[in-house]
């Protein structure tokens, strides 16, 4: 249990924390598996997992032990020296992704920044600089200036203009437009194989094929942003695989540290060959604590801990999908069900915020993205029983929000 110094964290937040979040008025101070608990001991089913981060669920005993052990031994030495965990993590990510080199940072946005920078670095090293990027409608790549520049929604971008120039956005529904947008001036194409914040939208196969063909034709590099959809969330190790995409660079974050902040950018040998000492860096990136957590996560994911969490997601995902499709068949407000594994969106015919609130009143946590999409990103460890408990709550929340908006 945490030591609480504030009797009213919500009031203190209102006075002292930068008001950039629309937080729900609920305070959690412990969790177990897919459950979160308030100070009063109320149990909520967590189907959003800290926006796709708590991959092993809350209070995971093996992760907790590893973090405590690591904290007692050594937390951080910076990148001035070697330590044994960063290179081990890099080699494991390399084996899983086929991209042989890793740079470690602390968030998804930082991983995207590294991918954007090293795409340009690659072309600079060729002596034929290319600086332009192609990104997609509805994309979300993060909030730092570079990541924001390849993020589509003007609502996020406009207050911070001017951003990095030379970005073209293209519709994933238009393969011809994709082919035309990617030219010999394009340093890299950046794509979420399964968009998260943009409304849980899988990249159409025709778009993936058009991207691959245009990258081959022009030499443009391909960056897969797998921050949200990667590392097993869809029941595949990476969703690029499902589309037959072979990225030159990949951005990872969220699930990787299972709650401990860590991001990673992965590079092909050709891209990595351009990097020189001093080109990039991070004080905290890849420290012992973060790497230890990520190693535990990867071990659980790939079955080192006994059962493979990747297999579990591949098994439980279809059960979740069936539950969501059953809701859609009964609730006419649900217009589409999209996703894979334990990453799903229900698009409804009106703003989804009221559904999220109604679900929370029923002690179920989901969130809204892209205005009309109810998003579910449960911990990978979610069970069929927990899904069966959650589905009636979600359906009741949809029904009651629809009733309220009809009045
Ligand atoms: N890329 C994708 C696909 C994301 O979904 C996100 C966050 O939602 C990011 C990048 C940015 O990650 P972070 O919030 O860790 O900076």
């Amino acid at each position: 249990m945490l030591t609480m110094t504030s009797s009213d964290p919500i009031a203190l937040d209102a006075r002292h924390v930068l008001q950039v979040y629309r937080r729900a008025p609920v305070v959690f101070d412990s969790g177990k598996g897919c459950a979160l608990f308030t100070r009063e001991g109320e149990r909520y089913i967590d189907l959003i997992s800290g926006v796709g981060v708590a991959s092993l669920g809350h209070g995971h005993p093996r992760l907790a032990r590893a973090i405590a052990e690591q904290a007692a031994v050594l937390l951080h030495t910076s990148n001035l020296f070697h330590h044994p965990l960063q290179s081990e993590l890099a080699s494991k990510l390399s084996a899983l992704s086929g991209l042989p080199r890793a740079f470690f940072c602390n968030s998804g946005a930082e991983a995207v920044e590294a991918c954007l920078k090293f795409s340009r670095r690659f072309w600079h090293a060729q002596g034929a600089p290319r600086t332009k990027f192609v990104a997609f409608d509805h994309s979300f790549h993060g909030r730092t200036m570079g990541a924001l520049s390849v993020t589509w929604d003007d609502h996020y971008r406009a207050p911070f203009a001017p951003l990095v120039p030379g970005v073209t956005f293209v519709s994933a529904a238009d393969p011809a437009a994709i082919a035309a947008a990617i030219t010999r001036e394009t340093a890299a194409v950046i794509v979420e194989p399964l968009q998260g914040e943009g409304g849980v939208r899988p990249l159409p196969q025709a778009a993936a094929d058009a991207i691959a063909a245009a990258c081959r034709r022009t030499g443009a590099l391909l960056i897969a942003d797998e921050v949200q959809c990667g590392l097993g969330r869809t029941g595949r190790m990476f969703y690029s695989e499902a589309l037959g995409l072979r990225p030159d660079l990949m951005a990872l974050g969220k699930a990787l540290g299972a709650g401990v902040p860590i991001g990673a950018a992965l590079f092909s040998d050709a891209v990595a060959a351009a990097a020189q000492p001093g080109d990039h860096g991070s004080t905290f990136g890849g420290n012992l604590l973060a790497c230890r957590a990520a190693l535990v996560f990867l071990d659980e994911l790939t079955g080192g801990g006994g059962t493979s969490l990747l297999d579990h997601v591949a098994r439980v995902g279809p059960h979740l999908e069936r539950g969501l499709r059953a809701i859609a068949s009964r609730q006419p407000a649900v217009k589409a069900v999209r996703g894979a594994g334990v990453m799903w969106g229900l698009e409804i015919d009106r703003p989804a915020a009221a559904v999220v609130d109604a679900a929370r009143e029923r002690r179920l946590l989901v969130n809204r993205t892209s205005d009309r999409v109810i998003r579910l990103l449960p911990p990978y460890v979610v069970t069929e029983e927990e899904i069966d408990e959650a589905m009636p709550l979600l359906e009741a929340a949809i029904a009651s929000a629809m009733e309220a908006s009809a009045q």
Side-chain angles (χ1 to χ4, degrees):
M1 195 59 61
L2 297 179
T3 312
M4 287 297 202
T5 51
S6 158
S7 57
D8 188 353
I10 296 179
L12 210 55
D13 176 290
R15 272 203 303 282
H16 294 297
V17 178
L18 191 71
Q19 294 297 295
V20 291
Y21 301 112
R22 278 189 209 91
R23 295 182 207 268
V26 55
V27 182
F28 292 116
D29 73 351
S30 68
K32 193 76 204 153
C34 281
L36 281 173
F37 299 94
T38 63
R39 281 191 288 184
E40 291 71 36
E42 297 155 332
R43 170 181 173 267
Y44 286 66
I45 304 175
D46 178 12
L47 294 193
I48 195 64
S49 68
V51 201
V53 167
S55 44
L56 300 181
H58 306 287
H60 189 271
R62 184 176 171 209
L63 179 65
R65 253 193 328 272
I67 290 172
E69 267 171 35
Q70 197 58 53
V73 173
L74 192 59
L75 285 175
H76 176 89
T77 55
S78 83
N79 289 299
L80 293 175
F81 313 104
H82 291 275
H83 68 70
L85 303 181
Q86 190 179 125
S87 45
E88 185 184 344
L89 180 59
S91 73
K92 294 219 153 118
L93 288 172
S94 160
L96 293 175
S97 67
L99 293 170
R101 284 191 191 268
F103 171 82
F104 292 104
C105 48
N106 314 285
S107 67
E110 283 179 65
V112 167
E113 290 294 329
C115 290
L116 297 174
K117 281 183 71 176
F118 282 98
S119 299
R120 284 190 172 172
R121 185 70 181 92
F122 170 83
W123 290 108
H124 189 268
Q126 308 299 303
R130 295 190 188 188
T131 58
K132 296 187 173 171
F133 297 103
V134 171
F136 286 84
D137 293 359
H138 303 286
S139 64
F140 183 90
H141 297 292
R143 315 272 192 162
T144 53
M145 290 300 246
L148 192 57
S149 304
V150 288
T151 288
W152 176 73
D153 193 336
D154 206 44
H155 174 75
Y156 297 135
R157 301 161 52 89
F160 304 102
L163 300 175
V164 174
V167 179
T168 303
F169 290 96
V170 63
S171 164
D174 189 347
I178 293 170
I182 301 169
T183 70
R184 289 185 187 281
E185 292 185 353
T186 307
V189 180
I190 180 162
V191 65
E192 291 159 87
L194 173 45
Q195 287 183 338
E197 307 299 307
V200 192
R201 296 168 200 271
L203 187 72
Q205 188 61 55
D209 295 344
I211 293 168
C215 286
R216 269 196 308 275
R217 176 172 49 79
T218 62
L221 299 171
L222 178 58
I223 305 170
D225 181 345
E226 296 254 6
V227 167
Q228 190 163 147
C229 65
L231 291 169
R233 178 157 288 285
T234 66
R236 300 255 189 173
M237 188 55 74
F238 301 107
Y239 201 72
S240 327
E241 289 167 10
L243 299 167
L245 287 173
R246 300 281 303 271
D248 305 286
L249 306 93
M250 187 184 284
L252 299 175
K254 290 201 184 278
L256 180 57
V260 177
I262 180 168
L266 309 182
F267 308 99
S268 68
D269 270 329
V271 175
Q276 297 296 320
D279 273 353
H280 200 51
S282 164
T283 298
F284 292 120
N287 77 15
L288 289 103
L289 180 73
C291 289
R292 181 76 186 265
L295 284 166
V296 170
F297 165 69
L298 289 185
D299 204 45
E300 291 285 324
L301 187 64
T302 55
T307 52
S308 146
L309 212 42
L310 187 61
D311 290 346
H312 175 78
V313 172
R315 260 197 318 276
V316 88
H319 188 74
L320 178 55
E321 177 176 8
R322 278 192 293 279
L324 295 172
R325 293 206 185 278
I327 292 175
S329 72
R330 291 186 294 263
Q331 298 294 329
V334 179
K335 294 298 165 206
V337 179
R338 294 188 293 263
V342 288
M343 176 171 180
W344 288 95
L346 266 66
E347 184 163 337
I348 58 171
D349 62 2
R350 64 203 85 183
V355 177
V356 173
D357 291 344
R360 199 176 57 254
E361 282 160 20
R362 290 163 175 77
R363 311 258 175 96
L364 173 69
L365 303 175
V366 294
N367 95 325
R368 165 188 65 92
T369 192
S370 184
D371 191 40
R372 293 181 171 216
V373 177
I374 305 159
R375 179 172 49 170
L376 287 80
L377 296 170
Y380 294 12
V381 294
V382 69
T383 61
E384 293 197 357
E385 292 69 34
E386 284 160 334
I387 291 168
D388 292 344
E389 187 185 352
M391 289 300 103
L393 301 176
L394 180 60
E395 183 161 7
I398 294 172
S400 86
M402 294 311 122
E403 245 173 65
S405 77
Q407 278 159 13

